[in-house]
Amino acid sequence: AKMPKMPELPKCQNEWSNTWFSIFLTTALGYLLSAGLHHGAGVHGPVPSGTSRYFSVDYGRVHLVALDLNVYYGDDPCGEPCKTAQLEWLKQDLAAANQNRGERPWVVAFSHFPLFCTGCQSAQYATYYESAEAEKSGNANKTAATAWGKSPAHLKKLHELGFKPPSNLTVGAGSDATIADFQPIFLQYGVDLYVAGHWHYYESLYPATEGPASCRTCAVPTQQDFNSPNVTVHVTSGNGGPPGKDSFTEDCPGPDCGRIPATRKQTTEFSYGRIIAHNTTHLTFQQFFNSNGSLFDSWTIYQSKHGPFSN
């Protein structure tokens, strides 16, 4: 199928991308920033996307896929054309990656926003979720979100996006939409790992599938280890040193208060993650504390058969 043409980016973003691409073109990883609260750029790759919003690159034993989920949370007026173009490109990219599993067995996707996490079902304004206030006060802080919803800045944002206040787009609704669009593709093409940020905490999940209709982000574990998982493994590592920490109880009371069924390990301490692709069968994720460099968490996916999941 012919991939839909990606809508043109704003002139300022194209200029920004071109400038920084010329700087990072010769680095080891090139341009590996997926669009979130930061710009990313990538015009080359196994299946070129033709846009800086999403892209892929092969590095060592890993096929890395950067995704842009901004449009799902009301902070991008592009809408359905951007969604459709990205999803069609993703299918083509992953199909090509599966033809190259012998050389690059691991497929790792990443984006700014998680699909499954503690707090992802929040009923707060989605525009608050992406605001500077959320960076300081917490992504699901009800008091701050309520104040934000009445603020001139919020009303201005709604006007810019063409929404009539009050907007009914919530964090939970945005998360549900991302799951509906991406989870089936991840499973169909066998994406091994999905790494996200945004939430200022670390949360490791066991291999899991989506939760019930009442809380799709409340992922349900399919096993209690990482031995030959038959689903994509999800992890959130978004606390590398932002202006404020989230807590795991911001969305309380609620279906994802404190933890979700698939939660394995959590911390709100400033920390960062590292991925090690040892060989064809073993890939390790490690999380280190910023304060002293000590190892907080480590887990290894064992996968002897890469490719589409059978469920």
Side-chain angles (χ1 to χ4, degrees):
K2 186 177 180 181
M3 186 168 63
K5 183 179 179 181
M6 179 64 202
E8 291 294 326
L9 293 175
K11 184 174 184 292
C12 60
Q13 185 169 338
N14 273 324
E15 291 177 349
W16 190 99
S17 300
N18 291 337
T19 300
W20 282 96
F21 184 74
S22 66
I23 295 174
F24 284 96
L25 183 62
T26 58
T27 63
L29 287 179
Y31 222 86
L32 287 184
L33 293 174
S34 63
L37 296 184
H38 311 280
H39 292 294
V43 295
H44 299 288
V47 179
S49 64
T51 174
S52 64
R53 290 173 180 258
Y54 47 84
F55 56 93
S56 68
V57 66
D58 290 333
Y59 186 70
R61 297 185 178 94
V62 183
H63 178 71
L64 293 158
V65 184
L67 299 171
D68 174 14
L69 304 188
N70 278 0
V71 68
Y72 290 87
Y73 294 96
D75 199 35
D76 190 328
C78 185
E80 292 303 319
C82 283
K83 289 183 181 180
T84 300
Q86 179 171 219
L87 293 171
E88 289 304 312
W89 167 81
L90 179 60
K91 293 174 187 177
Q92 293 185 28
D93 181 78
L94 293 178
N98 278 346
Q99 297 298 313
N100 195 33
R101 291 276 192 159
E103 183 175 355
R104 293 184 175 85
W106 298 99
V107 175
V108 177
F110 59 98
S111 177
H112 187 76
F113 297 100
L115 273 65
F116 306 125
C117 79
T118 298
C120 278
Q121 200 59 37
S122 169
Q124 312 310 336
Y125 291 109
T127 49
Y128 169 79
Y129 193 53
E130 292 199 286
S131 71
E133 185 59 40
E135 288 284 309
K136 296 183 295 182
S137 302
N139 286 306
N141 186 310
K142 289 181 172 62
T143 301
T146 299
W148 165 257
K150 299 176 182 178
S151 70
H154 174 246
L155 298 178
K156 179 181 179 182
K157 173 64 73 174
L158 292 181
H159 177 73
E160 290 172 350
L161 296 173
F163 299 153
K164 293 182 179 180
S167 170
N168 60 0
L169 181 62
T170 65
V171 173
S175 299
D176 287 350
T178 63
I179 292 170
D181 279 358
F182 289 95
Q183 183 70 353
I185 297 175
F186 287 176
L187 298 179
Q188 179 182 353
Y189 293 95
V191 173
D192 297 290
L193 176 64
Y194 179 73
V195 183
H198 189 71
W199 287 85
H200 299 169
Y201 61 51
Y202 167 76
E203 182 172 48
S204 162
L205 305 182
Y206 284 115
T209 188
E210 68 181 84
S214 60
C215 185
R216 288 190 172 90
T217 63
C218 298
V220 177
T222 57
Q223 59 194 77
Q224 298 291 319
D225 57 34
F226 298 96
N227 184 17
S228 300
N230 198 36
V231 293
T232 303
V233 177
H234 292 252
V235 62
T236 298
S237 178
N239 208 18
K245 299 179 181 179
D246 280 307
S247 78
F248 295 102
T249 57
E250 289 176 13
D251 199 31
C252 298
D256 56 354
C257 174
R259 59 187 292 120
I260 58 177
T263 297
R264 174 185 160 273
K265 198 166 186 179
Q266 302 170 318
T267 183
T268 59
E269 293 304 308
F270 293 132
S271 56
Y272 64 93
R274 176 186 296 169
I275 295 174
I276 304 172
H278 302 280
N279 49 41
T280 300
T281 56
H282 293 75
L283 182 144
T284 296
F285 189 97
Q286 299 176 323
Q287 191 76 8
F288 295 87
F289 285 132
N290 289 9
S291 59
N292 56 18
S294 64
L295 179 66
F296 169 72
D297 194 20
S298 180
W299 40 273
T300 299
I301 301 173
Y302 168 75
Q303 187 61 269
S304 61
K305 184 181 179 181
H306 295 277
F309 294 123
S310 60
N311 52 342

